[in-house]
Amino acid sequence: MIKIAILGYGTIGSGVVEVLHTNRESIAKRAGDEIEVKYILDLRDFPGDPMEDKVIHDYNVIAEDPEIQVVVEAMGGVEPAYTFVKRALLAGKNVTTSNKALVAKHGAELIAIAKQQSINFLFEASVGGGIPIIRPLNSSLTADEIEEITGILNGTTNYMLSKMTFEGLEFEDVLKDAQSRGYAEADPTADIEGYDACRKIAILTSLVCGQQVDFEDIYTEGITKITADDIKYAKAMGSVIKLLATSRKTEEGYCAMVAPFMLSQQHPLYSVNDVFNAIFVHGNVLGDAMFYGSGAGKLPTASAVVADIVDIAKHLHKNILISWSSGKIDLVDYKKAQSRFFVRTSENQEQVKAVFGEVQFVEVPEITGELGFLTEVMTEEAYEEKAAALKNIKQRIRVV
Ligand code: HSE
């Protein structure tokens, strides 16, 4: 019997209990042993809940119980999760977490402690919800130099942008709906401002390059300025708007960014809608691969957490090597990145051409008093210079 403790009985913590219950037999077979929840740590009580008796409020009980072999961290946020997880690892307890904020900030250190202790710190659920991406990067794609990872890594914003696209709704109208479905973070700012996706691409880039990528270094733009009119322009071009988190290996180094992009029908992420996430990976020998699935929500995320518990059970006292050292890598300045830009302005065609040269104008008959146009491919730096000369720019969205 492998005894576990769950920290946090919210959406993910209760999902883990549900998954362990629903698939009890098959999980035991795969893990080679029964998994039993001994404690659930939460500030609240849960009268009437079948797990009521397991709920405790003092973390010391878990840290000091030698029977606990696995700690499942499902609290979210950096503290006190970091303190609890570090203490568990130092006490020789394996840890799995769904917490991207924790992994992005302290992943390298926690991985090193687990290695030192010959145990495991696993975090499959921290990126892409139920989609396997951490394990593939760490075990299946190890023959490759990964040259690009581009993902739709936030279910909430993808759900919102999909609803804006299909139903013509404005941003404010769709946010509450996403929250009520349990996709959003406790504070949805992390979703809509791109911070959640930023931490996730920082984790993926760290795994790809084997060094610490600080999420603070990644240029991040959310979707709060995307309007129903922008979506109309995208439709006129046969495109969709998606929040992409992208990281590329260039000759100068790794370049990462989170921002809304316009995607044409040919783009592999064009059809990824609703709460689904997808991650496009390009390896130098593999070529292209895509990982697609449920990127947020209780059971998909819990599925990935429980899979980590199974992996831990299969590797008790044996560390699964994860290449992610604490040596920090400097990213290439995002201003060197290149793309086309879609721009909306109240200037006239002559003024636009005088600054941007040959552009492609985009018409949406019902939108008047402004112009939409597509630039040639240029660097962010070059775009900013030209945009400063044009003035009166209402919107600009990168195009891939
Ligand atoms: N709020 C996150 C999302 C949850 O919408 O993707 C999963 O990390």
Side-chain angles (χ1 to χ4, degrees):
M1 180 81 73
I2 294 177
K3 301 207 175 182
I4 72 168
I6 299 175
L7 314 185
Y9 200 35
T11 308
I12 314 301
S14 60
V16 169
V17 169
E18 189 175 331
V19 170
L20 286 171
H21 178 74
T22 307
N23 293 338
R24 185 166 195 91
E25 278 177 30
S26 56
I27 289 168
K29 247 188 236 161
R30 288 175 185 143
D33 209 341
E34 291 269 325
I35 313 289
E36 188 197 290
V37 178
K38 185 168 180 185
Y39 304 115
I40 295 171
L41 182 80
D42 206 286
L43 292 171
R44 302 160 293 179
D45 287 310
F46 295 87
D49 188 286
M51 301 300 275
E52 183 183 3
D53 295 347
K54 316 265 184 187
V55 176
I56 59 167
H57 307 298
D58 180 5
Y59 180 64
N60 291 314
V61 176
I62 295 168
E64 289 163 15
D65 185 339
E67 271 195 349
I68 294 295
Q69 288 184 286
V70 185
V71 170
V72 175
E73 190 279 305
M75 305 167 72
V78 175
E79 280 296 356
Y82 169 62
T83 304
F84 290 176
V85 165
K86 189 169 174 180
R87 186 165 165 203
L89 292 169
L90 289 170
K93 299 180 191 310
N94 299 276
V95 174
T96 164
T97 181
S98 56
N99 184 337
K100 54 251 145 183
L102 172 70
V103 178
K105 182 106 187 124
H106 296 292
E109 183 195 3
L110 299 171
I111 286 165
I113 298 174
K115 187 177 175 198
Q116 218 170 33
Q117 300 276 68
S118 297
I119 53 173
N120 287 293
F121 171 68
L122 301 183
F123 44 92
E124 182 60 68
S126 65
V127 181
I131 307 171
I133 182 63
I134 304 290
R135 201 164 280 110
L137 284 179
N138 197 43
S139 332
S140 317
L141 301 178
T142 45
D144 272 73
E145 288 289 329
I146 304 297
E147 293 175 337
E148 178 183 347
I149 296 192
T150 297
I152 293 176
L153 296 179
N154 183 267
T156 304
T157 46
N158 203 41
Y159 177 80
M160 291 172 64
L161 290 170
S162 301
K163 251 188 129 49
M164 286 173 76
T165 301
F166 296 130
E167 297 174 28
L169 297 172
E170 282 292 356
F171 177 84
E172 291 77 22
D173 302 325
V174 293
L175 175 59
K176 284 203 182 73
D177 186 26
Q179 281 177 292
S180 71
R181 289 168 189 265
Y183 303 150
E185 296 298 299
D187 174 1
T189 313
D191 297 299
I192 60 182
E193 294 292 1
Y195 307 151
D196 176 80
C198 169
R199 278 150 184 81
K200 290 168 176 169
I201 197 70
I203 293 170
L204 296 182
T205 311
S206 296
L207 285 170
V208 162
C209 69
Q211 284 179 263
Q212 175 65 22
V213 172
D214 284 348
F215 64 84
E216 294 93 337
D217 294 347
I218 298 177
Y219 175 78
T220 299
E221 212 178 283
I223 65 159
T224 52
K225 295 194 181 88
I226 302 295
T227 65
D229 279 353
D230 295 329
I231 305 269
K232 285 178 193 154
Y233 276 106
K235 278 188 183 165
M237 290 185 275
S239 298
V240 287
I241 301 176
K242 300 281 180 197
L243 182 70
L244 297 187
T246 180
S247 152
R248 278 170 201 273
K249 188 178 179 192
T250 69
E251 278 177 11
E252 290 79 37
Y254 287 88
C255 187
M257 180 190 291
V258 175
F261 281 82
M262 279 191 181
L263 275 57
S264 71
Q265 254 172 20
Q266 285 71 43
H267 196 283
L269 299 171
Y270 174 89
S271 309
V272 179
N273 289 316
D274 299 318
V275 74
F276 286 100
N277 281 194
I279 303 133
F280 167 85
V281 178
H282 181 86
N284 69 334
V285 285
L286 162 80
D288 296 344
M290 275 276 281
F291 299 82
Y292 172 85
S294 303
K298 179 173 171 165
L299 293 180
T301 310
S303 160
V305 173
V306 174
D308 275 352
I309 299 174
V310 171
D311 219 11
I312 286 170
K314 285 158 70 176
H315 296 90
L316 283 179
H317 314 297
K318 182 168 182 355
N319 178 255
I320 303 162
L321 187 68
I322 300 176
S323 164
W324 177 351
S325 76
S326 54
K328 182 186 149 153
I329 197 163
D330 287 326
L331 297 175
V332 175
D333 185 354
Y334 84 96
K335 289 193 177 176
K336 305 266 179 270
Q338 292 197 334
S339 68
R340 295 182 80 185
F341 293 85
F342 166 73
V343 184
R344 289 171 59 193
T345 176
S346 50
E347 304 288 338
N348 63 36
Q349 290 205 359
E350 282 61 44
Q351 286 162 320
V352 168
K353 282 186 196 159
V355 174
F356 279 94
E358 271 320 299
V359 297
Q360 190 182 323
F361 289 99
V362 186
E363 278 186 37
V364 175
E366 62 196 277
I367 302 178
T368 53
E370 64 171 64
L371 285 175
F373 66 93
L374 271 171
T375 71
E376 290 300 307
V377 174
M378 62 182 71
T379 62
E380 297 273 338
E381 216 162 24
Y383 170 78
E384 278 174 24
E385 215 170 278
K386 289 179 195 292
L390 186 62
K391 303 194 191 84
N392 294 325
I393 287 182
K394 293 172 138 179
Q395 178 62 289
R396 67 99 182 73
I397 302 174
R398 295 164 184 89
V399 179
V400 282

